[in-house]
């Protein structure tokens, strides 16, 4: 039996968290000839003699900052980045040259070696190890904030594959602490605070509630045909007792997935050990679904949490920390770079359905 082709979607979707950020969902564009990002070659070796991040080669990295569970039998190791984008070795005054202004590039840039196995993927890591990894993120973020009051934001992120910015094959994450709040995080904070002021609830919590309870059918007034149908759970990829993985309605990337705590929590530093264990399960299963559908896609993931800044002290009730996973399956076009409008060629509803359909143990 021939399969019914998916309905062509061509519409601009507005990000409810940051309304100025729009996404053009244009599924017909996915039919055009194009060169997609190639799957990143997986180096699955457990140990590489020349890799500075492999066990036995600790002398090849900058000085160790911390190790889990300990320095001798480490499973996770934190070191300074050899080529930092920011550093604490200097402190120049801010400058104003007419309309041109500078802020001193003060901060910290560190590498977290995620695992002592060279080529292990996130979905192959055990859940206890992932809980340890995200606990290490939390601990180091807290230490960096305490180290200097000038640091207003700590971003944790992971790059996998050359197109995503990874320069070393050994699994690793990075932490960058900055004296400024990144613009995209500030936009999330500002807009969620405005929503809370008007509606007296967190917009992220509202979106989670909609994903779990909302359904609607919109009909064409003239023909009576269904124009749009949203089913309960249509965008949910994974759900556990404490966390949920959602495919955003206005997804910038074809296979983008966001993971959020079900109970409101603004600052990632407040996660408990029970939270970490549950988060590990949702992260592992979400990454396994993406790997099954995409097979070795290059990706980034990054953690957005409440900034530690006096201007955000009243945002604990309005902001909601979350992990964004953004697989890189296409190359940005001139239209996207010139307009700032993301183009998504896979309907988020269809992507969510394919991810949910993956059979996991």
């Amino acid at each position: 039996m021939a399969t019914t082709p998916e309905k062509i979607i061509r519409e601009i979707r507005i990000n409810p968290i940051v309304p100025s950020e729009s996404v053009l969902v244009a599924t017909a564009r996915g039919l055009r000839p194009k060169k997609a990002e190639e799957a990143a070659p997986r180096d699955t070796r457990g140990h590489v003699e020349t890799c500075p991040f492999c066990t036995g080669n600790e002398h090849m990295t900058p000085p160790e900052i911390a190790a889990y569970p300990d320095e001798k039998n480490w499973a996770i190791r934190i070191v300074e980045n050899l080529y930092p984008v920011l550093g604490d070795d200097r402190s120049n005054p801010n400058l104003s040259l007419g309309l041109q202004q500078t802020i001193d590039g003060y901060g910290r840039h560190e590498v977290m070696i995620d695992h002592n196995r060279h080529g292990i993927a996130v979905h192959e890591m055990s859940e206890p190890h992932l809980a340890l990894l995200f606990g290490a993120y939390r601990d180091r973020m807290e230490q960096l904030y305490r180290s200097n009051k000038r640091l207003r934001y700590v971003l944790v992120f992971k790059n996998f594959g050359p197109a995503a910015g990874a320069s070393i094959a050994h699994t690793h994450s990075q932490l960058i602490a900055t004296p400024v709040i990144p613009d995209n995080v500030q936009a999330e904070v500002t807009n969620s605070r405005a929503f809370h002021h008007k509606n007296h609830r967190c917009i992220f919590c509202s979106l989670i509630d909609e994903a779990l309870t909302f359904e609607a059918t919109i009909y064409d007034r003239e023909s009576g045909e269904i124009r749009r149908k949203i089913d309960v759970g249509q965008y949910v990829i994974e759900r556990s007792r404490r966390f949920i993985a959602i495919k955003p309605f206005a997804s910038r990337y074809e296979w983008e997935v966001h993971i959020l705590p079900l109970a409101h929590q603004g600052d990632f530093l407040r996660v408990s050990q029970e939270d970490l264990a549950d988060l590990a399960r949702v992260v592992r299963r979400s990454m396994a679904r993406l790997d099954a559908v995409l097979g070795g896609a290059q990706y980034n993931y990054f953690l957005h949490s409440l900034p530690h800044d006096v201007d955000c002290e009243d945002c604990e009730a309005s902001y909601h920390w979350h992990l964004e996973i953004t697989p890189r399956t296409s190359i940005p076009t001139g239209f996207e770079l010139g307009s700032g409008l993301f183009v998504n060629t896979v309907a988020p509803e269809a992507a969510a359905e394919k991810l949910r359909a993956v059979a996991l143990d």
Side-chain angles (χ1 to χ4, degrees):
M1 180 184 293
T3 58
T4 303
E6 292 183 6
K7 181 181 178 181
I8 297 299
I9 297 177
R10 188 180 293 110
E11 62 189 17
I12 296 174
R13 298 186 179 185
I14 308 301
N15 181 347
I17 307 297
V18 184
S20 61
E21 183 181 277
S22 303
V23 175
L24 173 57
V25 178
T27 57
R29 293 284 291 172
L31 304 177
R32 78 194 193 282
K34 67 174 183 176
K35 176 175 171 48
E37 298 284 9
E38 297 180 359
R42 279 282 310 278
D43 183 351
T44 58
R45 292 175 290 176
H47 186 273
V48 176
E49 293 272 343
T50 57
C51 173
F53 292 172
C54 282
T55 53
N57 295 339
E58 290 83 0
H59 63 283
M60 298 172 64
T61 69
E64 182 177 285
I65 296 170
Y68 296 75
D70 57 62
E71 182 178 351
K72 183 178 180 181
N73 303 297
W74 65 269
I76 297 168
R77 190 166 176 261
I78 307 173
V79 299
E80 296 178 17
N81 193 299
L82 195 58
Y83 306 101
V85 298
L86 296 170
D88 58 3
D89 55 342
R90 64 187 186 87
S91 181
N92 297 328
N94 300 343
L95 299 175
S96 179
L97 308 171
L99 294 177
Q100 317 302 324
Q101 299 183 39
T102 71
I103 297 176
D104 179 33
Y106 174 86
R108 294 281 298 178
H109 189 175
E110 300 173 354
V111 173
M112 185 172 293
I113 304 168
D114 297 340
H115 204 286
N116 53 22
R117 275 187 56 195
H118 179 82
I120 192 170
V122 168
H123 71 276
E124 296 170 333
M125 297 179 188
S126 70
E127 290 175 16
H129 182 90
L130 284 171
L132 184 67
L133 176 62
F134 278 83
Y137 291 161
R138 175 199 59 193
D139 295 347
R140 190 58 191 153
M141 287 172 67
E142 184 173 24
Q143 291 161 7
L144 285 168
Y145 279 127
R146 286 182 176 178
S147 69
N148 195 304
K149 296 299 183 183
R150 295 177 61 192
L151 299 176
R152 300 171 68 192
Y153 197 76
V154 179
L155 179 68
V156 175
F157 62 97
K158 180 178 178 64
N159 305 329
F160 176 77
S167 57
I168 294 180
H170 193 122
T171 180
H172 66 283
S173 308
Q174 299 181 62
L175 299 91
I176 295 183
T178 73
V180 297
I181 302 171
D183 186 63
N184 57 345
V185 176
Q186 184 63 66
E188 289 180 350
V189 170
T190 300
N191 286 290
S192 60
R193 177 165 47 192
F195 181 91
H196 188 274
H197 180 74
K198 181 179 180 180
N199 300 281
H200 307 290
R201 64 178 323 227
C202 165
I203 189 170
F204 294 89
C205 291
S206 298
L207 287 171
I208 291 172
D209 288 345
E210 282 195 0
L212 294 173
T213 63
F214 184 77
E215 61 181 351
T217 303
I218 301 174
Y219 298 91
D220 184 273
R221 290 186 178 182
E222 295 183 1
S223 67
E225 293 182 354
I226 295 176
R227 292 179 54 192
R228 172 68 54 77
K229 187 174 183 180
I230 297 178
D231 298 320
V232 171
Q234 186 173 1
Y235 298 98
V236 178
I237 308 303
E238 278 285 336
R239 182 189 175 183
S240 65
R241 189 162 62 91
R242 295 170 183 258
F243 288 89
I244 189 169
I246 296 176
K247 186 82 183 70
F249 176 75
S251 295
R252 300 159 297 177
Y253 302 93
E254 283 87 349
W255 301 97
E256 178 178 6
V257 173
H258 293 185
I259 298 176
L260 308 90
L262 284 166
H264 180 78
Q265 199 170 63
D267 195 342
F268 180 71
L269 269 57
R270 297 185 184 277
V271 294
S272 66
Q273 289 305 121
E274 292 78 12
D275 291 333
L276 292 171
D278 203 59
L279 172 62
R281 175 175 173 77
V282 173
V283 168
R284 183 188 64 79
R285 290 176 62 86
S286 298
M287 295 301 295
R289 292 184 185 280
L290 287 167
D291 183 75
V293 172
L294 301 176
Q298 306 182 66
Y299 68 87
N300 306 98
Y301 73 52
F302 39 90
L303 186 65
H304 279 181
S305 181
L306 187 66
H308 281 219
D309 182 72
V310 291
D311 292 335
C312 301
E313 289 179 348
D314 63 339
C315 297
E316 183 69 40
S318 60
Y319 193 72
H320 201 118
W321 75 262
H322 53 283
L323 182 74
E324 301 187 18
I325 305 170
T326 57
R328 299 303 187 96
T329 53
S330 62
I331 301 170
T333 66
F335 173 75
E336 289 173 287
L337 296 173
S339 67
L341 185 69
F342 285 88
V343 178
N344 185 340
T345 62
V346 179
E349 301 78 34
E353 185 177 2
K354 288 181 180 179
L355 291 170
R356 278 197 308 274
V358 174
L360 299 177
D361 295 334

